[in-house]
């Protein structure tokens, strides 16, 4: 699908409010001129097409100077019934980066962009602006990108351990072989090792003495050299983040969702009856047993962001029953409504998982 224009991007004139009792001054006239220059826009995107459309929006060099908010069109052509008070923006960032990981990167735990024939200088600069926008507006970073990649792009040098990042980039089977080589080189299946080294274009025979050096060289090639063009395009666009992101690895750690972080962010009614107290226990049990993927889905369901950005989640209880019974989230205000009609914890867990695993993210609360 081609995107040659942004006809759905609607400019809104900015209203100026100046006290009539104040005498005119040059400062006032300058302020009026500055406000007129900042045009407020509605950016309309289409669910399922956000990757391409957001890149097109941020291809404008001065896009960050504008004041704008988002609206989303559903696949059936209807407008999502939501006001962008932060929740829609967070949800758009989450969808964009999930699609970006799938379509524009290689790697396992950590991802690295790969060069596509349909992505040139303009597209990669646009992605860099989206990184800057996400951090400045919502403290959102694409934490699945290898941290050494962003360190090189933001700071101009690598801080994190290259080999550790590389071991999270490769597949699980390759990681097991590489770690075994580091601890007991002679005990590794040499034929399998050579096959893996050939996949990574290694042209030297690995030995117990040179394996660590070869591993560092391959890590540098995969994480720094191969995405060098992308890093170059991101370098200028990410410049505003240099003072804030001197410790990217620490920021990554803060953004990673954990059950403890989420439980601490949740606020319940001060007074609760027996059913409501039981629901609080169900939620805590659910979060404790959830894997990282479901913790991310839970956060996105409640806040719009699949990362832990420090948002407080306010919980209330409802009396929904039967076919109407379901958890309901209001992402703009980070509210979660939970029915109290579950007889057993497995019933709640099953229903919560169905909601999260449906992967249907529709902002339907104004």
């Amino acid at each position: 699908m081609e995107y040659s224009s942004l006809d759905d991007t609607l400019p809104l004139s900015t209203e100026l409010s100046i006290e009539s009792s104040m005498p005119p001054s040059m400062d006032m006239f300058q302020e009026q001129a500055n406000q007129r220059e900042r045009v407020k826009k509605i950016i309309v995107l289409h669910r399922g097409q956000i990757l391409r459309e957001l890149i097109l929006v941020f291809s404008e060099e001065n896009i960050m100077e504008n004041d704008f908010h988002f609206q989303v069109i559903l696949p059936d052509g209807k407008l999502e019934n939501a006001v962008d008070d932060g929740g829609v923006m967070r949800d758009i960032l989450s969808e964009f980066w999930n699609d970006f990981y799938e379509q524009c990167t290689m790697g396992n735990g950590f991802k690295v962009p790969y060069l596509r024939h349909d992505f040139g200088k303009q597209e990669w600069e646009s992605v860099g602006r989206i990184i800057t926008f996400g951090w400045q507006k919502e403290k959102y970073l694409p934490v699945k990108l290898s941290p050494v990649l962003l360190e090189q792009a933001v700071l101009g040098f690598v801080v994190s351990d290259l080999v550790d990042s590389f071991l999270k980039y490769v597949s699980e089977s390759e990681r097991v072989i590489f770690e075994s080589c580091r601890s007991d080189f002679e005990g590794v299946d040499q034929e399998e090792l050579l096959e893996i080294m050939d996949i990574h274009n290694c042209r030297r025979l690995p030995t117990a003495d040179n394996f660590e050096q070869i591993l560092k060289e391959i890590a540098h090639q995969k994480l720094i050299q191969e995405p060098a063009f992308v890093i170059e395009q991101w370098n200028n666009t990410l410049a505003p983040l240099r003072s804030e992101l001197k410790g990217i690895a620490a920021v990554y750690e803060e953004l990673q969702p954990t059950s403890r972080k989420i439980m601490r962010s949740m606020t319940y009614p001060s007074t609760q009856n027996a059913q409501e107290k039981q629901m609080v226990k169900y939620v805590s049990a659910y979060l404790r047993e959830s894997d990282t993927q479901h913790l991310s889905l839970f956060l996105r369901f409640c806040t719009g962001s699949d990362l832990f950005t420090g948002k407080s989640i306010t919980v209330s209880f409802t009396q929904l029953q039967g076919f109407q019974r379901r958890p309901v989230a209001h992402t703009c205000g980070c509210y979660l409504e939970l029915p109290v009609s579950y007889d057993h914890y497995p019933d709640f867990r099953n229903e919560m998982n169905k909601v999260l695993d449906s992967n249907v993210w529709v902002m339907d609360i104004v």
Side-chain angles (χ1 to χ4, degrees), residues 2-15:
E2 296 293 333
Y3 299 96
S4 58
S5 67
L6 289 178
D7 294 334
D8 288 328
T9 301
L10 309 177
L12 298 180
S13 59
T14 304
E15 295 184 2

Side-chain angles (χ1 to χ4, degrees), residues 4 12 16 45 50 57 67 73 77 79 98 108 114 119 124 129 147 150 169 181 183 193 227 245 252 257 280 317 365:
S4 58
L12 298 180
L16 303 179
L45 305 173
I50 286 177
V57 168
D67 184 17
I73 302 294
L79 184 68
N98 284 325
N108 190 25
Y114 75 96
F119 270 46
W124 288 118
R129 293 188 192 100
L150 283 185
Y169 163 82
C181 286
S183 59
L193 174 60
L245 295 181
Y252 270 34
V280 174
F317 300 103
I365 302 297

Side-chain angles (χ1 to χ4, degrees), residues 108-306:
N108 190 25
F110 280 154
K111 310 288 186 180
V112 173
Y114 75 96
L115 298 182
R116 298 170 42 137
H117 69 86
D118 55 344
F119 270 46
K121 176 181 173 65
Q122 182 179 25
E123 285 75 17
W124 288 118
E125 284 181 344
S126 180
V127 174
R129 293 188 192 100
I130 295 170
I131 296 175
T132 302
F133 173 80
W135 174 256
Q136 291 180 338
K137 295 295 185 181
E138 293 293 336
K139 298 305 178 193
Y140 188 105
L141 275 187
V143 298
K144 288 188 179 181
L145 291 181
S146 172
V148 302
L149 180 83
L150 283 185
E151 287 168 354
Q152 186 67 38
V154 175
L155 306 175
F157 54 88
V158 172
V159 178
S160 301
D161 189 281
L162 263 173
V163 173
D164 286 347
S165 293
F166 178 67
L167 292 177
K168 293 178 181 178
Y169 163 82
V170 299
S171 67
E172 181 67 16
S173 60
E174 291 178 357
R175 182 187 64 79
V176 170
I177 293 294
F178 287 148
E179 290 184 340
S180 297
C181 286
R182 302 178 83 183
S183 59
D184 180 20
F185 186 86
E186 302 301 331
V188 173
D189 184 326
Q190 295 299 305
E191 183 177 350
E192 184 176 6
L193 174 60
L194 291 177
E195 289 178 359
I196 293 175
M197 301 304 276
D198 184 61
I199 291 174
H200 292 287
N201 300 316
C202 177
R203 295 296 176 258
R204 278 194 290 164
L205 183 66
T207 66
D209 294 330
N210 69 11
F211 180 76
E212 194 69 27
Q213 180 61 32
I214 290 177
L215 197 58
K216 290 179 182 178
E217 293 170 356
I218 295 176
H220 191 272
Q221 174 192 345
K222 292 294 182 181
L223 304 184
I224 302 296
Q225 295 178 35
E226 291 186 2
F229 178 76
V230 176
I231 292 173
E232 181 183 354
Q233 310 317 313
W234 287 359
N235 186 259
N236 291 329
T237 58
L238 298 180
L241 307 184
R242 284 171 188 161
S243 61
E244 299 181 56
L245 295 181
K246 294 181 179 178
I248 288 178
V251 174
Y252 270 34
E253 185 65 27
E254 292 175 3
L255 290 172
Q256 293 292 349
T258 67
S259 58
R260 188 172 183 82
K261 289 179 186 176
I262 298 174
M263 285 189 287
R264 285 182 172 180
S265 73
M266 301 185 76
T267 303
Y268 297 93
S270 55
T271 58
Q272 303 165 12
N273 59 33
Q275 282 183 310
E276 293 168 347
K277 289 179 180 178
Q278 189 63 50
M279 280 305 305
V280 174
K281 293 180 180 179
Y282 286 173
V283 173
S284 297
Y286 180 81
L287 292 173
R288 286 194 179 96
E289 72 174 40
S290 293
D291 56 19
T292 302
Q293 178 184 0
H294 279 85
L295 291 176
S296 293
L297 291 173
F298 182 85
L299 277 177
R300 187 174 176 190
F301 180 65
C302 296
T303 71
S305 172
D306 54 2

